[in-house]
Amino acid sequence: MDALEIFRLVATEFSGIPDDDEKDPDTGKTTQYGVRSFLALYSDQISEERFGKAYPKALAYLTAHKLKMNGYGDCENGKIADSLRVSSYSEGETSISYSTGQQANLQVDAEYALTVYGLEFLTLRRNAIIPILSAGERRCYGR
């Protein structure tokens, strides 16, 4: 499957976005960008070489995450709560609690934890890219 097919399979809430750009017949200007344009926009943020066979899936999840963070998709419950950032709210005197604390905001990948698509992208990245760790635990013998 290519990235567009995977995107359509896993991110059904974006069914209102066409596959290809829609253009005004009179002016030729783009009236609505399609999923292919968004896939192309975010494709340079990840390495096809590093992800290997999982690249189309990673690109689909990354694109869905970016679209969700930009307010596209199903927003019937509101854009902020929809992207998993609001943990609770009350109406009397209006109080809102966010599920991402300051500590999470300091982490490099905190943004990806805000959508289910971002979490799936992180899982794929963890499986494809294994970091090299050096804890300096080598012992010096003979001293």
Side-chain angles (χ1 to χ4, degrees):
M1 280 191 203
D2 68 359
L4 178 61
E5 291 174 310
I6 295 168
F7 180 90
R8 289 297 183 201
L9 182 65
V10 301
T12 56
E13 70 177 286
F14 302 106
S15 62
I17 301 175
D19 288 352
D20 297 305
D21 296 350
E22 292 181 352
K23 299 191 181 285
D24 184 302
D26 298 328
T27 63
K29 291 186 177 183
T30 302
T31 57
Q32 184 176 6
Y33 288 100
V35 176
R36 289 184 207 279
S37 290
F38 289 111
L39 289 167
L41 178 65
Y42 300 119
S43 65
D44 66 348
Q45 293 187 10
I46 59 176
S47 168
E48 189 170 357
E49 183 179 327
R50 293 286 202 143
F51 278 92
K53 291 186 336 185
Y55 177 77
K57 189 186 296 185
L59 180 58
Y61 277 114
L62 176 64
T63 302
H65 168 74
K66 295 291 189 179
L67 286 173
K68 190 67 169 176
M69 292 300 292
N70 285 305
Y72 291 93
D74 179 15
C75 296
E76 69 183 41
N77 296 322
K79 294 177 184 174
I80 295 175
D82 229 16
S83 61
L84 306 177
R85 290 180 270 192
V86 174
S87 62
S88 69
Y89 60 90
S90 59
E91 288 189 27
E93 298 291 324
T94 310
S95 173
I96 300 175
S97 298
Y98 295 92
S99 59
T100 306
Q102 184 60 31
Q103 176 142 355
N105 286 334
L106 297 174
Q107 297 174 3
V108 175
D109 294 331
E111 172 197 340
Y112 296 115
L114 298 177
T115 69
V116 293
Y117 307 113
L119 291 172
E120 285 296 323
F121 171 74
L122 286 176
T123 299
L124 289 168
R125 190 180 73 183
R126 254 190 312 274
N127 291 338
I129 302 170
I130 301 168
I132 298 172
L133 299 175
S134 174
E137 297 176 358
R138 182 178 175 190
R139 293 190 176 185
C140 267
Y141 294 101
R143 286 191 182 186

